[in-house]
Amino acid sequence: MGLVEIIPLGGAGEIGKNCTVVSQGDDMVLIDCGLSFPNEEMFGVDIVIPDFTYLVKNRHRLKGIFITHAHEDHIGALPYLLAKLKVPVYSSELTIAMLRQKLEDRMDTREVKLHVMNPGDTVEIGSLKVESIRITHSIPNTTSIGVMTEHGWVLFTADFKFDFTPVDGKLTDLARFAEMAEEGVVCLLSDSTNVERPGWGPSESLVSEGFRKVFTTAPGRVLITTFASNIHRMQQAFTVASETGRKVAIAGRRMEQTVDLCTRLGYLQIPANTKIKLDEVNGLSPEKIVILTTGSQGEPMSALVQMSKEEYSRMRIREGDTLIYSARPIPGNESAIWRTVNRLFRMGANVIYDSPTPIHVSGHAYQEELKMMINLTRPFYLAPVHGEPRHQALYREIALEMGYPAHRIFTMVDGLPLRIQETSAELGEPVECGRVLVDNAGNEGISDEVLRDRASLANDGIVVISLAIDPEAGEVVGNPEVMAKGFSGPDKALQLCADTVYDTIRGLKKSELQDVDFVRHTIGDVARRQFSRRNQLRPLVVPVVIEA
Ligand SMILES: [Zn+2]
Ligand SMILES: [Zn+2]
C-alpha cells in the first residue's frame, strides 16, 4: 500500500487560514481555503492568505477543493486561489451560494465549477472518495469531511460543537461518525480552539433566553452586533423580536446581503411583519425596535463603528439605546472593539457584553465534546488543528490521558506533511508554505521588508540623509543634510548623526568614494547605528547620494 500525505498549508498551530492538502499517488484534494486577519504590527495589511506555491506547482494533481463551511477562515482565500487555478469546488448549498456571491465581485463565475455537495453526499476524485457529514457549528450547513484513502478515512471534523438543540433543528449525524469508526478512521484532524474550556459548551439556543430578557426589559431600542455570517444568531433575533412585539431592521451591507440570501434559500425564517427597513425605524416608538448591525470586531467602516462616531447617515445612537455585543473579539481586535463600546456609553447607550443569561455562545467544542468526537470516531492517529500551539499541546495531553500513545498524536505545523504509510506515520520534510499579505486594494505580496519599514515609520518616523559626492574624483562635496518627519528624538541627535556620517565618509578611501552604492550603504548603516545606540530609536533611514 502507498503513501498518504496530509499537508496543512495553513491552520496548524494557528487559528485562521485553514487550508490542508490530502494526497495519495496522483490525486490531491484540498480541504478549506481560508484567510486570517493581520496582527497589530502588520500596518496596511487587510487580510492574510496562505502561500499557494505548492498547489500551483502540483496543479496537475489537485482535482477538487472541499469547503467545510462559509466562515472566512475556511473560505476567504478561495477567490485568490481560484484566480490562479480553476479547480472544481464542492460544498453544501449555503456555502456554495455564499461563495458565489463572494466570487461575483471578482470574476466570471462561469469559469469555475461550483458543485453543491450536501451532507451525506460522496464524490470520487481519482483514487480518493470524499464524503460530507452533517455537524453542528455556528453557521448552518457546516460539514465534516472524510477522505477515504488506502489506509482508511482521513477525517476533518471542521469547526464543530455537539449542539443537541441547534437553532435550525438539524443535528450532527452521530450515526455516520460511528459507522466511519467501524470502517476505520486512520487520522482525525480535530478542531482544538476551545480545548482550554472544561465540560460541555452551551447550546446556541440558550441565546434566545438572553435576547428575550433584554428585549422585554430594555427601555428603548435594542441593537445587536454579531458576525454577518452568524445566521443562527440572526434567526434568534427575528424570532424573539416577533414574540416580544419588536420589529427588526438591518444596518450594514454584508449583513443585509446574508439575510437576503439566507431568506431566499430558506436558511432564515423571518416571521411575518417582523422585518422593516432601516429608514422606517424613526417612525416607530423605540421599544418596538431591534437593529442588527455589523461591526462586532470594531471594523472602521462598519455600521456600528460609524454610528459610534456619529458618522452613519442612516441612523443615530440615542440615549436609552441598548447594544447587545453578541460575538467574541478575534484576538487583535480588542482595542478597536472597546473604543467603540466606550464611545457608545459616552453617547448615553447601554452596552451588554457579559450577562448571566448568555447573549453569545461559542461555536467550538469544549473539552468533553472533543473527547466525545475521539470516542465516537476512534481514529488511529490524532492531529489537533484549528488551534495555536498551546491548544495543540493541551489536546495532546487530553489524548494521552485517554490512553492514546504519544507516537499516535501529531502536532501539525504549517508546511510539514504528515506521511502515513501502512504501519507507521511521521512528519516529513517541509513543503513551500507561508503567508501572503494582501492590502485593502486586494494586492497580494506585501513583503516582510515593507512591513518592517512601515513599523519603523509608525514607531520612530523617517530620517533622510543626503550627501553629494563626486564619484569620478572620489571626493565628498559639501556637508551631509539631514531631514526628518515624525522623528521624536532630540534635535541634536540629527546634527550628531550628520557629523558622524560626515566623519565616516571623510575617512573612506578614494576608491571607496567612487562606489556610489557602497557610500549609500555606509551612510545608512552609520546613521541607523547612531540612532539605535544613542537614542534607542529605529527610524526608517533613507540614505541619498547625489552625484555632483
Ligand atoms: Zn474556523
Ligand atoms: Zn467556523
Side-chain angles (χ1 to χ4, degrees), residues 69 71 73-74 137-139 159 364 386:
H69 65 295
H71 280 157
D73 57 324
H74 298 261
H137 181 41
S138 51
I139 185 167
D159 298 4
H364 296 271
H386 209 287

Side-chain angles (χ1 to χ4, degrees), residues 11 14-16 18 73-74 137 157-160 190-197 328 331 362-367 370 384-388 390-392 394-395:
E14 63 175 336
I15 298 177
N18 299 284
D73 57 324
H74 298 261
H137 181 41
T157 65
D159 298 4
F160 81 100
S190 175
D191 183 357
S192 65
T193 302
N194 271 349
V195 68
E196 287 165 335
R197 301 190 185 182
R328 174 189 61 93
S362 171
H364 296 271
Y366 286 24
Q367 260 178 33
L370 294 171
V385 290
H386 209 287
E388 293 173 1
R390 67 194 159 107
H391 302 116
Q392 293 174 297
L394 183 55
Y395 187 99

Side-chain angles (χ1 to χ4, degrees), residues 216-349:
T216 49
T217 56
R221 304 185 299 187
V222 174
L223 289 90
I224 303 175
T225 187
T226 187
F227 291 104
S229 62
N230 203 330
I231 295 147
H232 292 323
R233 201 61 54 81
M234 295 193 268
Q235 177 68 62
Q236 298 187 91
F238 279 111
T239 308
V240 179
S242 156
E243 287 165 10
T244 55
R246 288 182 184 254
K247 311 255 182 226
V248 182
I250 301 190
R253 196 177 64 94
R254 273 209 56 201
M255 205 171 249
E256 259 174 275
Q257 279 180 344
T258 310
V259 168
D260 286 348
L261 180 79
C262 291
T263 310
R264 199 153 26 89
L265 295 175
Y267 290 94
L268 253 183
Q269 262 87 38
I270 300 180
N273 303 319
T274 303
K275 187 164 175 268
I276 55 169
K277 294 206 177 75
L278 195 56
D279 312 327
E280 298 174 66
V281 160
N282 289 334
L284 285 170
S285 57
E287 71 283 359
K288 296 268 177 255
I289 293 166
V290 171
I291 297 153
L292 280 166
T293 173
T294 53
S296 70
Q297 298 307 307
E299 305 93 322
M301 299 311 288
S302 64
L304 183 66
V305 172
Q306 291 190 27
M307 285 179 212
S308 78
K309 294 178 172 171
E310 296 191 49
E311 287 169 3
Y312 193 64
S313 60
R314 300 180 62 194
M315 186 196 134
R316 284 184 175 279
I317 295 292
R318 288 195 223 142
E319 211 169 317
D321 285 348
T322 302
L323 173 79
I324 303 178
Y325 184 81
S326 185
R328 174 189 61 93
I330 293 175
N333 296 342
E334 290 93 342
S335 60
I337 295 166
W338 289 122
R339 276 201 301 276
T340 308
V341 167
N342 285 330
R343 278 195 296 266
L344 292 168
F345 272 115
R346 216 175 280 140
M347 295 164 98

Side-chain angles (χ1 to χ4, degrees), residues 338-384:
W338 289 122
R339 276 201 301 276
T340 308
V341 167
N342 285 330
R343 278 195 296 266
L344 292 168
F345 272 115
R346 216 175 280 140
M347 295 164 98
N350 181 27
V351 182
I352 303 174
Y353 48 86
D354 198 7
S355 143
T357 335
I359 45 165
H360 172 69
V361 296
S362 171
H364 296 271
Y366 286 24
Q367 260 178 33
E368 296 306 314
E369 296 165 79
L370 294 171
K371 289 183 194 167
M372 176 167 158
M373 179 57 94
I374 297 174
N375 262 319
L376 192 59
T377 57
R378 301 200 305 276
F380 194 77
Y381 298 116
L382 274 173

